[in-house]
Amino acid sequence: MIDSVKKGLLAGLKTTWTLGKIIFPVTLIISVLQYTPVLDWVIKVIAPLMNLFGLPGDAAIPLVLGNFLNLYAGIAGILTLELSVKEVFIIAVMLSFSHNLLIESGVALKTGVKLWIILTVRIGLAVISAVVINLVWHGGSETAQYGFISAGAPELDGIGAILLYGTQKAASGVLQLAIIVIPLMVVIQIMKDLRWLDVFSRLLAPLMKILGMKPNASMTLVAGLTIGLAYGAGVMIQAVREDNVSKKDITLAFIFLVACHAVVEDTLIFIPLGIPVLPLLLIRLAVAFLLTMIVGFIWNRSDITQRKEATYGQ
C-alpha cells in the first residue's frame, strides 16, 4: 500500500508539472488580455455571425469569454445581457461543446490527440447544434430569468496590478489542478495494484465495444466524464503511458469527451440561468454516443479493410 501511495504521488506530481506548464502561461496570458482591446476586437469580428445562430450580436461576448476562458466566464457574460430562454439555451449548448479551448486543447495534445481533431469536433458541434436548435425550436421567446449575479473580472489599474492578478489566477489554476490530480493518481494507483481496475474495465467492456474502443480505455472515459478534460487529462496521459491505450482509442475517447465531459458540473452550473438543463444534458450525451460510434465504426472498418488488403498482397 505504501509503495502504491508513493507511485501515485510521483505520478500526480509529474502530471501536475506537465499540465501546469500549459495551464499557468495560458491562464496568465488570457487573464491579462481581458484588460486589453484584444477580446473586444475578437467580439466585434464574430458578432455579425451571431444571426446565423439566431442570436443578437451581443451574444458574441459570452461565447468569446467562454471559449477563451471557461464556462464561468461565459455565464458571467450571459448575465450582462437581456436574452430570451431560447437564446440562453443556444449559448449554453454551444459553450457546453466548446469552452476553455486553449487550455483543454493544450492538455489534449499531451495525450497525442491531433489538434485539428479537437478543434474541428468542438467548434463544429457548437456551430451545428446552434443552427439546428435555432431552426427546430420555435418556443422559448420569454425573457430568461437569472437566478444569481456572478462577478466578472475585477477593475484594476496599472500593468503591475493586472500582471499580479493574472499570476495569482494562473497559480490558483495550477493549485486546483494539483489538489484534484495528485489524490486521484494515488487512488488510481492503489486500485491498479489491487486489480480493481481490471474488474472495472470488464464491467464497462460492453459500453466500450459499442463505442469502438477497447476496455483499457474505460478509465480515460470515466475520468473525463466526471472531472472534465483539463483535470481528467492526467488520468488520460497516464493511461496512454502505462495501460497501452492505443492512439485510436484515446482519439475516440477524446471525441466522446469533447462532446460530453464533466457532465455533473457543466450541467448544473447552467441551472441559475433559467433554462431547461435536462435537454442540455441529453443533447450532449446523445451527440457524444452517436458521433463516437460512427467514427469508431468507420475507423474499425477501415482497419479491417487494410488488414485484408495486406493479407491479399502477401
Side-chain angles (χ1 to χ4, degrees):
M1 182 68 74
I2 294 176
D3 287 341
S4 297
V5 172
K6 286 181 179 178
K7 286 168 66 176
L9 284 172
L10 184 60
L13 289 170
K14 285 182 177 178
T15 301
T16 300
W17 172 249
T18 299
L19 300 182
K21 287 187 291 185
I22 297 171
I23 291 173
F24 188 91
V26 171
T27 304
L28 175 59
I29 291 168
I30 297 302
S31 297
V32 171
L33 285 179
Q34 290 179 88
Y35 297 93
T36 72
V38 173
L39 294 189
D40 289 337
W41 178 80
V42 174
I43 288 168
K44 288 178 182 177
V45 169
I46 71 169
L49 298 174
M50 294 300 99
N51 188 51
L52 177 66
F53 311 133
L55 298 172
D58 288 347
I61 296 171
L63 289 176
V64 169
L65 291 176
N67 280 285
F68 269 77
L69 297 167
N70 51 45
L71 280 178
Y72 297 98
I75 289 173
I78 291 173
L79 294 171
T80 66
L81 308 173
E82 185 173 323
L83 300 166
S84 69
V85 171
K86 179 180 177 179
E87 289 166 345
V88 174
F89 185 78
I90 289 173
I91 296 172
V93 173
M94 292 183 75
L95 288 177
S96 68
F97 286 132
S98 174
H99 60 265
N100 204 6
L101 275 180
L102 298 179
I103 288 179
E104 292 188 350
S105 298
V107 298
L109 289 174
K110 289 293 183 179
T111 67
V113 181
K114 295 185 182 301
L115 179 63
W116 71 266
I117 294 177
I118 302 165
L119 294 179
T120 300
V121 173
R122 299 195 74 180
I123 297 173
L125 288 177
V127 170
I128 292 170
S129 64
V131 173
V132 170
I133 293 170
N134 181 43
L135 293 174
V136 172
W137 189 17
H138 300 294
S141 58
E142 64 274 18
T143 302
Q145 301 298 315
Y146 306 137
F148 71 156
I149 299 297
S150 176
E155 294 291 333
L156 298 173
D157 291 320
I159 187 65
I162 293 171
L163 285 173
L164 179 60
Y165 165 74
T167 302
Q168 289 173 339
K169 193 167 182 181
S172 175
V174 176
L175 179 61
Q176 290 177 44
L177 174 74
I179 290 171
I180 293 173
V181 168
I182 294 175
L184 182 62
M185 289 300 195
V186 172
V187 171
I188 289 175
Q189 188 62 52
I190 292 172
M191 291 174 69
K192 266 186 182 177
D193 293 344
L194 293 175
R195 303 285 184 182
W196 290 355
L197 287 189
D198 295 339
V199 177
F200 182 72
S201 295
R202 284 197 295 271
L203 291 173
L204 286 180
L207 174 62
M208 304 306 292
K209 187 175 182 180
I210 291 173
L211 294 173
M213 290 178 271
K214 293 180 180 177
N216 64 345
S218 59
M219 200 64 205
T220 294
L221 206 63
V222 172
L225 272 171
T226 53
I227 60 177
L229 286 178
Y231 296 141
V235 178
M236 300 172 200
I237 291 170
Q238 190 178 37
V240 172
R241 290 174 179 168
E242 299 181 6
D243 299 342
N244 297 316
V245 177
S246 68
K247 181 68 67 70
K248 184 199 81 172
D249 287 349
I250 199 67
T251 301
L252 287 175
F254 256 94
I255 289 174
F256 184 96
L257 291 173
V258 294
C260 188
H261 58 268
V263 287
V264 176
E265 178 187 0
D266 286 2
T267 302
L268 293 181
I269 61 174
F270 286 112
I271 288 178
L273 296 181
I275 61 171
V277 293
L278 182 58
L280 174 65
L281 174 61
L282 294 178
I283 288 172
R284 295 183 71 196
L285 284 170
V287 169
F289 272 99
L290 286 173
L291 182 61
T292 309
M293 287 167 62
I294 291 169
V295 175
F297 176 78
I298 294 172
W299 200 326
N300 288 332
R301 286 295 297 269
S302 176
D303 286 347
I304 292 171
T305 301
Q306 288 178 3
R307 284 198 294 269
K308 285 181 178 178
E309 290 175 351
T311 302
Y312 293 148
Q314 291 177 353

